[in-house]
Amino acid sequence: METENTVSEASAGAERPTNTDEFKKVKSKKSSRKRKVEDGAMDTEQPVARKRPEFPPISGDKLKGGSDEMRKVPVPSHRYTPLKENWLKIFTPIVEHLHLQVRFNLKTRNVEIKTCKETEDISSLTRATDFVKAFVLGFQVEDALALIRLDELFLETFDVTDVKPLKGDHLSRAIGRIAGKGGKTKFTIENVTRTRIVLADTKIHILGSFQNIKMARTAICNLILGSPPSKVYGNIRAVASRVAERF
């Protein structure tokens, strides 16, 4: 038995590779710079501090390109009378606070807003245009003024038929579901989502922040698709409470 074990061990030893030439020397992955530092060489290279270019502030005239800009807002016929009655409320913030020029062109039926030498911020022209557009679409002057005072407000418009192609009585019922009895449903959506909504025939205009417009739009789309108002109330209240907890 012992002789058999010694024979098997000897044969196993013969099978093992004995060549040491197969092992190759692996190169070190350290960079030459690190090796120099380790060997005792001093690294005298220091990062050169770059100076930022300093440019003088650009004046408002140069931003405008040297010429005055003008925007036109068309006014439909059914908004002539409200525009005439509230003209002083529209004129005052545009001229006194935004330092712009404004007039109503009787020939073209457009409200024309123009920059001048006193205009300090070039973005005020866009704010004034959005303010007049919101009033023309049917919002109250007090609500539309928020577009001038706040930066994070937007206007969104869509059609009832964009959500679902409805005709005849089906379209009328969808608009009635959005408004509710005496405007109750519309007022509830406005209060919960902190937006302002205008129903103009089949057009729906929403004024508010991006997140609030999204909540109001979802609620209105659910009403158009046929959801009962009680279910829509519960959904928007749940979403509004979640958003309030985040902030």
Side-chain angles (χ1 to χ4, degrees):
M1 293 292 288
E2 291 179 0
T3 55
E4 290 178 0
N5 290 334
T6 54
V7 171
S8 62
E9 288 175 1
S11 61
E15 290 175 0
R16 290 173 187 167
T18 55
N19 295 333
T20 57
D21 299 336
E22 295 179 1
F23 296 102
K24 295 180 180 179
K25 190 176 181 181
V26 180
K27 292 183 178 180
S28 175
K29 292 183 179 179
K30 292 181 180 178
S31 62
S32 59
R33 189 175 179 182
K34 283 186 177 179
R35 257 185 253 145
K36 286 179 183 177
V37 173
E38 287 177 359
D39 294 340
M42 289 281 291
D43 187 11
T44 56
E45 293 181 4
Q46 294 181 357
V48 180
R50 295 181 181 178
K51 291 183 178 180
R52 290 184 179 180
E54 294 181 1
F55 298 106
I58 300 175
S59 62
D61 295 335
K62 290 183 179 179
L63 279 173
K64 289 184 290 184
S67 61
D68 294 332
E69 293 186 15
M70 186 173 70
R71 303 279 175 88
K72 297 179 181 179
V73 181
V75 181
S77 57
H78 68 279
R79 295 298 290 173
Y80 292 159
T81 305
L83 183 69
K84 187 178 179 180
E85 292 174 353
N86 297 283
W87 180 251
L88 195 61
K89 294 180 182 178
I90 296 169
F91 175 86
T92 306
I94 292 176
V95 174
E96 293 185 0
H97 299 289
L98 298 179
H99 306 290
L100 297 168
Q101 294 177 349
V102 61
R103 72 172 182 178
F104 180 65
N105 194 328
L106 294 171
K107 292 182 180 179
T108 59
R109 299 290 183 180
N110 291 334
V111 176
E112 297 177 355
I113 307 167
K114 187 180 177 182
T115 58
C116 59
K117 293 180 180 179
E118 287 78 18
T119 307
E120 298 172 358
D121 190 2
I122 197 168
S123 65
S124 57
L125 184 63
T126 307
R127 290 186 180 186
T129 308
D130 291 341
F131 165 57
V132 177
K133 274 183 184 177
F135 177 78
V136 168
L137 289 174
F139 292 97
Q140 296 292 327
V141 180
E142 291 76 14
D143 297 332
L145 267 173
L147 287 165
I148 293 178
R149 294 173 180 168
L150 303 174
D151 294 331
E152 299 176 355
L153 289 185
F154 305 96
L155 270 172
E156 183 164 338
T157 302
F158 65 95
D159 202 298
V160 174
T161 54
D162 294 340
V163 182
K164 190 177 182 181
L166 300 170
K167 293 179 181 179
D169 293 339
H170 299 289
L171 181 60
S172 302
R173 280 194 290 270
I175 296 169
R177 279 197 302 273
I178 297 168
K181 187 178 180 181
K184 180 184 174 183
T185 306
K186 183 176 83 77
F187 292 145
T188 305
I189 295 173
E190 284 180 343
N191 293 332
V192 174
T193 59
R194 296 178 183 178
T195 56
R196 288 291 177 266
I197 300 168
V198 170
L199 297 176
D201 196 15
T202 59
K203 296 281 186 184
I204 299 167
H205 311 292
I206 308 174
L207 171 66
S209 65
F210 179 79
Q211 190 71 27
N212 294 342
I213 286 175
K214 185 180 178 182
M215 287 193 291
R217 186 179 62 233
T218 305
I220 291 170
C221 290
N222 290 336
L223 288 169
I224 293 169
L225 294 171
S227 297
S230 57
K231 186 176 181 181
V232 173
Y233 293 161
N235 290 340
I236 58 175
R237 279 186 181 129
V239 173
S241 62
R242 262 184 269 143
V243 171
E245 284 176 3
R246 284 180 195 171
F247 292 104

